[in-house]
Amino acid sequence: MKNRFNLKLNRKFFLENLVLKAGDLATGGMFVSKLKEWREICRLPKEKIDELQSQKLREILSFSVKNSPFYNLQNITSNTDPFVWLKNFPVLKKQSFRDNLEFFITEKNVKKLIAITSSGSTGPPSKVFFDKKVLSNNRALQILWWEWASYEFGNSILQTGVNMNRSKEKAIKDKLLNTRYISAMSHSEEEILKELDHLQKNPRDHFVAYASSLYLFAKTAINHKFTSIRFKSVISLGEKLLPEFRETIETAFSCKVFDTYGASEGFLIASQCSEGNYHIMSPHVVVELLDDYDREVKPGQVGRVILTGLDNFTTPLIRYELGDMAVKSKLKKCPCGMELPLLGEVIGRQTEFINTPSGKYITVQNVVRVLKNFPEIDQFKVVQNKKGEIRILYVLNKEYNLLNHSEVKIMFEEVFSESLDLSFEKVSFLPKAKTGKFQLIEREG
């Protein structure tokens, strides 16, 4: 047992301090040093974390108004308090950013930079430019979050992704980090069963995937009685992790699910700790939760997610409206011991709401709360058109012959206390978007 423990420590040390450090030297990256830096930041007391955030905010605001043509033209009034200064900046809509991208970039030679395009799950995709330092920083933050979920270098990983054409660099990384990379684009029952069978014979320590992928794997495992598959942890990313998803995944794989919250524009916003609370990476991003009049919401209230990045000086994004809704946390301190600030529940995309005739909102959570009473439905998607008509697409569970549409309609109308224009369409499968994500609620037009 002692020899096995020492071997594990030696492998972890070898990967982090020799192999990955050598990779940084070869590529000009800073992954290892950034990871160690973030580990130290997580141990800081609140006043030191706040001080670091304030300092970095002042630096990015000062740099942006001098070097980014877009912000320079805004004639923004400065202030000695960086948070007061920040409020003088306008809220930046995605469309405005996309239309004026060239005026945000501060590096004249963009060929030196790496361009990353967002998933486009809330509209047309946005392109953001990064240098190697920022990419190293973001990768370090991702691994830090995995470490909160008990990951260590040398642990084996099953990970889903959109692009299966792995570059030489990524293929080497997958090999070194013991990662089996599978497609997130198609999860037919046959494909999932094949992968579950492979997992039984070749166990993995961690499963990292979109929330919907995790849920489909877990549900299939339960339905087909795969009872021996265990993970140290499951890490959810990219989509809203619904309570039903979490419950099913934890039941199927006998482990905790750690949810992460980020955006492909380069923001690693928050992640769950061992206590299940979302910690905001405040020395990396300033998070504002605003109402419809751009006022900060109170604890316990839902607000629009507005982000200011503190690390990317190449394409500075200040008060960028992500298109998400989240709850401001009522909790001031977390029992886990970290003093990074807390975020309440992540509600999801602003587009993931259905409007009732009286002006109420039907959220993903509301829909799941109703439809979980109907085991006849295996999968579903809710679509609302311009006229307000609501269509429920569903895949019928194999154990049932039909779904009583009238009963579903009655329950929806009882929950929302009003008449709804509902129609139903049985389908054989529900395709995912090009991003590999699956949107449970969609508004047309």
Side-chain angles (χ1 to χ4, degrees), residues 87 94 96 170 172 193 202 211 237 251 269 280 294-295 327 375 401 407:
K87 292 291 187 182
K94 284 193 172 187
S96 180
K170 287 182 178 178
I172 292 171
L193 287 171
N202 304 275
L237 47 81
T251 298
I269 304 163
I280 299 171
D294 291 346
R295 300 172 303 200
V327 177
N401 295 319
E407 287 183 4

Side-chain angles (χ1 to χ4, degrees), residues 325-341:
M325 307 289 282
V327 177
K328 191 166 187 177
S329 178
K330 291 182 179 179
L331 195 63
K332 295 294 183 184
K333 199 165 186 178
C334 182
C336 78
M338 285 193 297
E339 298 197 30
L340 290 162

Side-chain angles (χ1 to χ4, degrees), residues 383-394:
V383 181
Q384 184 173 43
N385 64 24
K386 292 179 181 179
K387 296 178 181 178
E389 297 164 343
I390 300 168
R391 190 166 86 260
I392 297 179
L393 311 177
Y394 67 93

Side-chain angles (χ1 to χ4, degrees), residues 88-107:
N88 292 333
F89 281 72
V91 170
L92 177 61
K93 303 290 185 180
K94 284 193 172 187
Q95 187 64 50
S96 180
F97 173 64
R98 285 192 292 264
D99 291 346
N100 297 283
L101 174 61
E102 61 188 294
F103 299 106
F104 283 87
I105 302 168
T106 60
E107 172 60 57

